Amino acid sequence: MSTTRIGSFNVENMFERPKVMGRGATRHAAPILAAHARFNELIAAESYTPEVKEELKEHLATLELLRGDRSKYAILRRIRGRFLARHRTGETSVVASGRESWVGWVELTTEPISELATRHTAQVMRDVGAHVLGVVEAESRELLHMFSASMLKSVGWTPYEEVHLIDGNDERGINVGLLTRDAHQVITIRTHVYAKDNTGVIFSRDCAEYHVRTPAGPEVVLLVNHLKSKGYGAPGDPIGARRRFRQAVRIARIVNRLRDEGHEHIAVVGDLNDTPDSEALRPLFQRTGLRDISEHENFDWNHRFGTYRGVNEKGKIDYVLLTPELFAKATGGGVFRKGVWRGPRTKNRWDVYETMTDEVHAASDHAAIYADIDWSR
């Protein structure tokens, strides 16, 4: 085999996802996800000042956890020690003095995903046919392996030979992983979960590094990413943009380190949660020479110039980025949209699976994106 298809697909969890991120909970998502993230960040502090305690209570109120440990969208897990005092007067106070005085966290409640949605996810993977597929928002290696072994077979395709996933920094269990097939073998794995800069931990999930030996002989290095999301912080997303900028800086550093080590064929894939012209992603393009497969003359956009829902350029947030040496071997690529829901008023409509008759049946809000590499070039 002299060709390799490299793909990226945000599967949005394959069997269950946080209830607040479900199709019918859009108006609740931003404040609850922001409160969840900030609460779990604050409780890591060694000491809880009066100001921190007040903020913790504010986030618990948003999560509806002030008067009980379970609400519609969240659960307060307490393993050891005492965190709250709930008084008969109706008042709630934070009694823990800091991280060492108790063990616990807030997690989001989950709900099963439509069986049809899971099946459509498998159909997307089958129809894209990537030999090396970076996946985003997979729950765990066990479930990713189960999905590959059972669901791909149920839609008439063979399972992937290798399934890799390392737990990242997101408490919601939305991780990045890699699937390989047709004798594409992972020979080295590195995690960057613990990467830090002067501000703190860099990656929201991980920048998982996989070295893959191809049947044609050359090695390709994939960096699978899911950068900080938009939409759950302050208006204009200043905090998220700064985090994505830090992440882009570190990815650029990893790419350049790999090139210094002699690796020519590198692909950065995944959901980068920003557009190519954004300030946040600028270091990734300006400091590495990486090229987006969508720049290729034989790239098929398939009705839209974005990858998220039906959005055009502002929805271009999923990527397969290639070093110049790898881009030179690319013969083309494309966006696969058949698993993305389109509303009845959508203009310039794309084909969807016939069995996808409702938004809850969508495989994902994200289209898959891929690049075709010919090693003989």
Side-chain angles (χ1 to χ4, degrees):
M1 176 184 292
S2 64
T3 60
T4 296
R5 175 166 286 187
I6 298 172
S8 175
F9 185 29
N10 185 326
V11 298
E12 284 198 311
N13 297 52
M14 294 166 292
F15 294 106
E16 61 178 32
R17 63 169 56 100
K19 186 178 292 186
V20 72
M21 297 172 74
R23 297 288 191 268
T26 305
R27 68 186 180 88
H28 303 288
I32 289 175
L33 289 170
H36 168 261
R38 181 61 175 159
F39 180 90
N40 284 334
E41 179 183 346
L42 286 173
I43 60 173
E46 293 183 10
S47 176
Y48 301 157
T49 64
E51 293 77 15
V52 168
K53 289 184 177 183
E54 282 303 310
E55 187 177 348
L56 286 169
K57 286 173 57 179
E58 290 173 9
H59 297 313
L60 287 175
T62 300
L63 295 163
E64 300 182 1
L65 294 173
L66 277 179
R67 301 306 301 166
D69 287 352
R70 181 181 289 268
S71 69
K72 182 177 181 180
Y73 295 117
I75 302 170
L76 176 62
R77 296 288 189 195
R78 295 181 291 169
I79 307 303
R80 176 179 60 80
R82 192 179 183 205
F83 176 62
L84 292 177
R86 295 187 174 107
H87 307 285
R88 293 181 180 178
T89 60
E91 292 293 317
T92 299
S93 58
V94 176
V95 296
S97 59
R99 179 75 277 186
E100 291 188 359
S101 64
W102 77 294
V103 176
W105 60 88
V106 164
E107 65 186 50
L108 299 174
T109 56
T110 59
E111 62 183 355
I113 291 174
S114 156
E115 183 177 343
L116 261 179
T118 300
R119 183 175 182 84
H120 291 146
T121 301
Q123 290 177 235
V124 170
M125 289 188 182
R126 176 199 67 193
D127 296 341
V128 170
H131 301 102
V132 181
L133 179 65
V135 292
V136 175
E137 295 196 28
E139 294 98 316
S140 66
R141 183 188 176 279
E142 292 79 6
L143 287 178
L144 187 58
H145 174 77
M146 183 189 306
F147 178 89
S148 174
S150 60
M151 292 305 300
L152 292 183
K153 190 177 292 185
S154 75
V155 297
W157 210 40
T158 55
Y160 275 90
E161 293 157 11
E162 295 191 21
V163 177
H164 300 275
L165 185 147
I166 301 171
D167 284 342
N169 290 319
D170 196 307
E171 301 92 346
R172 294 170 292 174
I174 51 176
N175 301 298
V176 299
L178 191 78
L179 302 169
T180 67
R181 64 186 305 113
D182 297 334
H184 288 74
Q185 298 179 324
V186 175
I187 55 177
T188 302
I189 300 174
R190 289 175 180 163
T191 178
H192 297 277
V193 164
Y194 299 105
K196 293 183 179 181
D197 58 16
N198 293 334
T199 303
V201 172
I202 296 172
F203 292 108
S204 315
R205 286 44 117 164
D206 191 6
C207 172
E209 179 181 331
Y210 297 98
H211 296 235
V212 180
R213 181 184 293 124
T214 67
E219 178 184 316
V220 59
V221 182
L222 282 94
L223 300 175
V224 188
N225 285 270
H226 184 194
L227 301 195
K228 179 71 175 71
S229 301
K230 286 185 176 182
Y232 306 133
D237 186 40
I239 296 175
R242 287 196 293 271
R243 185 79 182 271
R244 288 191 295 279
F245 182 86
R246 292 168 52 214
Q247 292 167 345
V249 167
R250 182 52 61 97
I251 297 168
R253 186 179 299 177
I254 294 169
V255 169
N256 290 329
R257 183 260 299 166
L258 286 166
R259 299 194 74 181
D260 289 343
E261 292 174 356
H263 298 284
E264 293 185 336
H265 306 129
I266 305 167
V268 175
V269 306
D271 177 1
L272 304 188
N273 269 312
D274 225 326
T275 53
D277 60 351
S278 67
E279 178 66 18
L281 299 189
R282 179 175 54 80
L284 200 51
F285 294 102
Q286 292 189 357
R287 303 183 187 183
T288 62
L290 288 169
R291 297 190 62 184
D292 194 328
I293 188 57
S294 65
E295 299 173 10
H296 199 284
E297 62 181 356
N298 294 324
F299 187 83
D300 178 12
W301 276 108
N302 189 2
H303 292 79
R304 286 290 193 277
F305 291 114
T307 57
Y308 180 66
R309 295 189 175 180
V311 183
N312 263 303
E313 288 90 340
K314 292 183 179 179
K316 172 60 169 71
I317 60 176
D318 300 275
Y319 294 83
V320 176
L321 305 178
L322 309 174
T323 49
E325 296 87 348
L326 192 54
F327 192 90
K329 296 183 179 296
T331 58
V335 175
F336 186 86
R337 303 186 188 277
K338 245 183 169 180
V340 179
W341 174 252
R342 58 165 202 232
R345 298 181 180 179
T346 302
K347 297 179 180 179
N348 195 16
R349 306 172 86 192
W350 57 90
D351 292 337
V352 299
Y353 294 116
E354 291 183 0
T355 47
M356 203 169 76
T357 57
D358 191 278
E359 187 176 4
V360 298
H361 302 152
S364 175
D365 280 343
H366 297 249
I369 184 170
Y370 61 88
D372 288 327
I373 306 300
D374 184 350
W375 296 110
S376 66
R377 288 167 66 98

